[in-house]
Structure formats: C-alpha cells, structure tokens
Amino acid sequence: MQALLSFDKAPPFAAPLRFFLTAPIFAMLAGLLLAWSGGEMLASRWMPDLLAAVHLLTIGFMLQIMLGAMIQILPVVAGANLARPLRVASWLHGGLSTGAILLAAGFWFGQPALLSAAALALGLSTFAFLGAAGRALSGVPSTSPTIRGLKLALGALAVAVLLGAVLALALARGWPLPIMHLADLHAGWALGAWGGTLLAAMAYVVVPMFQLTPGYPARPSWWFPGLLIALALTWGAAVIGESEWGIRAAQGGMALVGIAFAVLTLRLQGQRRRARADVTYRYWQLGLYCAIFALFQALTATIVPQLAEWAGWSILFGILMVVGAFMSFIVGMLYKIVPFLAWLHLQNAGCVPAPAMNKLLADAPMQRQWQAHVLALILLLGAVVLPDLLARLAGLALAVAAGGLFYNLLAAVRRYRTYLEAAKTR
Amino acid sequence: MTTIRTFMTDDHRHCDDLFAEAEQALGSKNLSAAQAAFAHFRTAMLAHFAGEEKTLFPAFEECTGMRMGPTQVMRMEHDQMRSLFDEAADALARGEVEDYFGVAETLLIMMQQHNMKEENILYPMCDQHLADSAAQLVAQLEGELTEA
C-alpha cells in the first residue's frame, strides 16, 4: 500500500543518467587497456591486465547501468520507491566508479592494498544499495514474474558481490582458498544468477514493449529466475562439497536454462509487429545469438572438460557473453530508455509538446555506433585466435564503439537541455 | 470470474493489436490503411481511458479515499497520451511518415509503461479493494468498451 501511494514519483533524470553517461567511459578504458597491452593480455584468463579490463566492463559498464536503471525501474514496474533516489544515485555512482577503478588498478599494478580497497568500496556501496532497494521492495507483492525476478536478481547480486569481495581479499592477503573454483562460481553468480535473472525480468517487460511481440508465456516466465538461482545454489554447494560432478551438472543446467530463454526470446522477436528493424532489435538479435553460442560453449565444456584447457576457450566465452551478449542488450535498451526519459522529463517540465524521441536521438548515429560495436566484437573474437595481429586493433575498436555510445547519449542529453532551457524562457 | 485485472489487461492487448495494425500498414507502405488503423486504435484507447476515468477510478477512489494518489497520475498520463494520439494522427494526415514513427515510438513506450503500472499495481489493488463490486464493474466496463 505504501508503495502504491507514491508510484507516481519517477526519480529525477539526473539519478539514472549519471550511470548511463559514465558507463561508456569505463568500456572505453577497457578497450584502451587492451590496445596498450596487446596480444599478451589474451594469453590466459588469469592475466592481471585482462582481469582489470574484464572488471572495467562488468562493474564499470554493466553493473553501473544495471543499478542506475534499477533506480528508474523499481517505481515503474514494482511501485517500489527508493527514499531520496538522487542521494542514493549519488553515493552509489561514486562507490561503483571508485570501486571499478580501484579494482582495475589493483589487478593492473598487482597492488594488494588497492584490491582490498576495491572490495571495501564495491561491497559497501552495493550492499547499501541492496538495503535501500530491499526497504523499497518490502511489502511489495510479487504480482508479476518481473517483480519476482527483480527480487531474486537482487539476492543473487548480494552473493556475486560477496564472492567477488572474498576473492579480492583472498588475492590481496593470500588466504588459502580454492581461487579458481571460487572465481568460476563468482562469474556464474554475477553473469548467470544476477545478470541472467535481471535480464529475464527486464526482457519480460521490454521485449513486448519495444518490439510489439507477444508476451512471454506465463509459466516459463515464473520459472526461469527461480531455476537459475536454484542451479547457482547447487553449484555453490558442489564447490563446498568438492564435487566436480555436481559443479559440472549445475553449470550445464544453467547453460540449458539460458539457452531456452534465449531461444524463446528469438522466437518472440520473430513475431514482432513493428514496421522497421530498429537498432534496439538489431542489438538484441546479436546479443541473443552470442548468448546462445557462448552457452553452448559452456555446455560443451561441462561434457568435454578438456576443451577448456585451451587458454582461448574461456576468453572466447567471456567476449561472447560480456561484449557480444550483455553489452548488446544493454546498449539496445539504453537507446530507447534515454530518449524516452528525456521526452518524459521535458513533458513534465512543461515543454509541450515535447520533441519526439527521434528528434532527441536520431536513428542514423545509433546505426553507425551499432556497426562500430559489431566490428569491435568481430575483431575481439579474431584476437583470441590471432592475438599478436589483432588484439591492439580490437582494443581500439572497442574504445571507438564505446566512445560512439558516449557521444550519442551525450548529444541526446544536450538536445534535452536545449529544449528545457527554451521551455523555461518561453 | 473475470477479474478487473484480467478484463482490463485483455483490453490493453486489444489496443496493442490495433496499434500494430497501423505499424504493419506503414511497413507495407499503405498510408491510407495506416490512417484507418490508427483511427481505430485511437478510438479504442479513448474508450478505455473513458471507462477508467468515469467508472473504474471513481469506484477505487470512493472505496479507498485516495483521490490524489495513483489514479490522479494515471489521469495525467492519459492526457499525455491523448496529445500524442493527436500528434501521431496529425503526422499521418500530413503523410509525414518519419514524424509519425518518432511520435509512435514515444507513444508506444509511454503506453506500455503506463499499462504496466496499471496491470501490476493498480488493477490488483482494484481487485483487492473492490472485490464485492468487481463483477458488476467488469460488466459495466464491458458495456462501455463495446459501445465505443
């Protein structure tokens, strides 16, 4: 009831926007690190500079946008209002940005103190956010698969961050832990249980919304998030119980659930009823195919573990999953969300009629940025096979694609401000 | 028994279908079919808004005493969508397809996020608070929506 009374209070534009605008800078940094380090970075998944670049992408880019969007989305989809969203946004943004930089620097320079500081900054800011989101969600009934998915996803984030912090501290202080198993588990909770569940919960809303597809069938929608979390828990239990077989079974199960979800989404997108294939649709198609490919890879490795002995195996998986799948889904959504929010806030500020979305961010620059992203992805995948030849170029291409995203979003925000000023002086 | 949530959600999907018809007509470059489909969509949406503003919301407000709460926000969003309908119909009448796409994109997201708030939050609340009169309300809404 409390939540319902105030579900009109959309947070100010500045709350989510700061996350959306700084995230591309972290992706640019990741690209530049690769351009700087070159092919050596891709020698193994444990290379410190690769770990730095990966976390610039997963925390600096992905987590930043995921939580920034969460501040916006909680009131709309769940009627759950964060108290003082602008203040939450401000410390969360500061904590995540600082944490991402500290963590990347800690890996890059091999500095235990930086790794510990990163664990502290990221742990504190995420858990403080989880507390705020938990308070907003308490008493909100799970009337839709999306609301339940969001709740489960937030729980999974807690585990992913906790595992990450333990790993960072274990590296910094030399704790005797099974680092490799824990790193896999951390990645499984971060990308699968948190990322996958959040993606599914959001997809239930945005795929029909943006593409006018039929809705997701009710039963699988309720099951996907719970199943992913249950399998991730099984994986954790198998690590504790030192059961190789259990670990592989849980990993395979998560891959299968992910594939089923991606195939279902592809089928729904095949029934879309929009007049044009816009850039969001292209990004999602790319993301879904990359996810399916990566998950098949993961599934195969659970059956034939020798495959993963090739150093490029996990790197290929990481590129497909992070740059090919998650970044694509996220950028595809940003290209709808940012112009729409700009329109909404202009409208609410009395700029009536507000300029339509394509006047705030036109199709052509988004299409160009999409092409840059595809090129970067192809070069990155190529660099796994030909690191010496392609790694630097791939890094530059990633930086250019992320720079294009930054430029496009900034241009939309500038147009928004121009219209806003004009409306005020009128 | 049909709940308020199910009945009104079905009507949202019906309106989505009509919106999609306009999109698809434009996809096959048939402007006059798009104009007709959009007019049809607009009529259905306006009838849906009217059913809510004249029947459902007053019943909810009467029962809960919440007059300035969620229903007020929904009314405001209805107004925003009404002006988007006008803009979109105007663009189609002028044959400005690009302008239409820009407005339609905005309208689609506006409409879907609005529907989501109603379907996930407001309608379940209506079912909860208006349990005694739900059947009668649904019958009344059904009459109003088919009239349009």
Side-chain angles (χ1 to χ4, degrees):
Chain A
M1 198 57 172
Q2 205 57 36
L4 177 70
L5 284 169
S6 49
F7 80 131
D8 52 304
K9 286 186 197 135
F13 199 12
L17 196 59
R18 70 190 67 207
F19 296 90
F20 301 162
L21 284 178
T22 40
I25 299 173
F26 284 93
M28 281 165 74
L29 273 179
L32 291 175
L33 275 195
L34 177 59
W36 174 269
S37 286
E40 275 175 38
M41 193 199 258
L42 304 177
S44 128
R45 65 180 280 209
W46 306 107
M47 294 301 281
D49 40 359
L50 181 57
L51 290 170
V54 165
H55 288 88
L56 284 173
L57 288 177
T58 51
I59 297 174
F61 184 85
M62 283 172 57
L63 187 61
Q64 182 105 249
I65 296 176
M66 288 156 138
L67 294 188
M70 191 77 92
I71 294 176
Q72 180 68 39
I73 219 83
L74 282 175
V76 183
V77 301
N81 284 283
L82 290 169
R84 284 180 291 211
L86 212 50
R87 261 185 66 180
V88 174
S90 144
W91 55 251
L92 178 64
H93 178 253
L96 289 181
S97 303
T98 314
I101 298 276
L102 285 172
L103 188 62
F107 281 128
W108 182 270
F109 298 113
Q111 279 289 339
L114 292 177
L115 287 176
S116 306
L120 192 71
L122 293 170
L124 280 180
S125 47
T126 337
F127 273 84
F129 173 76
L130 286 169
R135 269 195 301 280
L137 277 167
S138 71
V140 173
S142 296
T143 49
S144 74
T146 294
I147 299 180
R148 199 172 73 163
L150 283 177
K151 290 178 182 170
L152 287 172
L154 286 168
L157 175 65
V159 179
V161 171
L162 208 60
L163 284 169
V166 166
L167 277 164
L169 292 172
L171 286 179
R173 289 154 187 247
W175 290 348
L177 288 172
I179 297 283
M180 295 197 183
H181 273 318
L182 282 181
D184 281 348
L185 186 66
H186 162 65
W189 274 89
L191 294 176
W194 153 246
T197 304
L198 180 66
L199 182 75
M202 290 326 301
Y204 299 158
V205 173
V206 301
V207 169
M209 178 192 278
F210 295 152
Q211 310 296 340
L212 269 179
T213 70
Y216 281 78
R219 197 169 303 201
S221 307
W222 285 101
W223 275 101
F224 276 130
L227 211 52
L228 273 179
I229 305 284
L231 286 160
L233 284 170
T234 312
W235 183 349
V239 169
I240 295 168
E242 296 182 8
S243 159
E244 248 345 288
W245 183 89
I247 292 173
R248 280 202 258 146
Q251 287 173 339
M254 282 179 89
L256 278 174
V257 173
I259 290 168
F261 172 77
V263 169
L264 175 60
T265 307
L266 274 178
R267 283 181 48 186
L268 289 175
Q269 288 208 335
Q271 300 172 55
R272 78 202 172 86
R273 296 175 294 170
R274 296 307 305 275
R276 288 177 181 175
D278 59 20
V279 77
T280 299
Y281 171 73
R282 288 176 206 270
Y283 259 119
W284 271 67
Q285 289 275 302
L286 174 70
L288 290 168
Y289 282 113
C290 286
I292 291 173
F293 200 90
L295 291 168
F296 257 114
Q297 216 197 331
L299 188 64
T300 324
T302 61
I303 301 162
V304 192
Q306 292 81 356
L307 283 171
E309 283 167 18
W310 172 48
W313 183 263
S314 341
I315 299 175
L316 194 66
F317 174 84
I319 291 170
L320 282 168
M321 210 55 177
V322 173
V323 182
F326 277 110
M327 273 185 91
S328 297
F329 297 133
I330 288 172
V331 179
M333 286 191 271
L334 279 183
Y335 277 157
K336 296 275 188 193
I337 293 166
V338 170
F340 176 73
L341 289 179
W343 175 87
L344 188 67
H345 287 284
L346 280 174
Q347 183 88 21
N348 291 343
C351 175
V352 182
M357 286 164 66
N358 61 352
K359 298 272 191 307
L360 292 161
L361 183 47
D363 191 50
M366 294 192 282
Q367 296 283 0
R368 280 197 295 276
Q369 194 274 334
W370 139 260
Q371 288 162 0
H373 179 84
V374 173
L375 181 67
L377 177 64
I378 293 171
L379 285 170
L380 282 167
L381 294 173
V384 180
V385 188
L386 301 168
D388 293 335
L389 195 66
L390 291 177
R392 286 179 202 278
L393 196 60
L396 277 181
L398 180 61
V400 168
L405 174 64
F406 177 69
Y407 179 83
N408 283 346
L409 296 179
L410 193 66
V413 172
R414 282 195 166 156
R415 271 176 223 120
Y416 158 80
R417 293 213 172 111
T418 310
Y419 282 112
L420 194 63
E421 288 305 315
K424 274 184 192 158
T425 52
R426 208 160 43 194
Chain B
M1 192 196 79
T2 313
T3 59
I4 294 170
R5 185 189 190 187
T6 320
F7 178 75
M8 295 302 272
T9 301
D10 287 348
D11 196 53
H12 282 162
R13 294 297 88 79
H14 170 64
C15 293
D16 289 351
D17 291 343
L18 298 173
F19 180 88
E21 276 177 27
E23 278 279 319
Q24 294 189 312
L26 279 179
S28 45
K29 311 224 182 297
N30 188 343
L31 185 64
S32 59
Q35 287 166 340
F38 191 82
H40 195 179
F41 159 75
R42 187 190 196 176
T43 311
M45 286 294 287
L46 292 176
H48 184 92
F49 291 171
E52 290 180 333
E53 292 176 2
K54 294 195 180 122
T55 305
L56 183 61
F57 294 175
F60 177 82
E61 288 161 356
E62 187 63 32
C63 175
T64 59
M66 279 194 276
R67 284 190 170 73
M68 298 311 290
T71 47
Q72 200 51 35
V73 186
M74 294 295 100
R75 285 194 168 94
M76 190 189 80
E77 294 192 351
H78 288 171
D79 282 340
Q80 291 182 333
M81 283 186 274
R82 285 188 186 103
S83 62
L84 285 170
F85 297 154
D86 295 344
E87 279 182 63
D90 184 47
L92 279 181
R94 285 182 286 115
E96 299 283 353
V97 173
E98 279 313 308
D99 283 358
Y100 171 80
F101 276 126
V103 178
E105 185 72 53
T106 318
L107 172 59
L108 180 61
I109 302 182
M110 182 72 210
M111 180 167 86
Q112 298 299 336
Q113 63 93 36
H114 172 83
N115 290 353
M116 193 163 59
K117 286 191 264 193
E118 291 187 338
E119 291 167 19
N120 286 345
I121 306 161
L122 186 59
Y123 297 157
M125 297 298 290
C126 286
D127 278 317
Q128 189 188 336
H129 287 279
L130 303 169
D132 296 338
S133 50
Q136 187 211 329
L137 274 171
V138 169
Q140 194 178 337
L141 285 165
E142 198 166 8
E144 287 168 5
L145 293 183
T146 40
E147 248 171 56

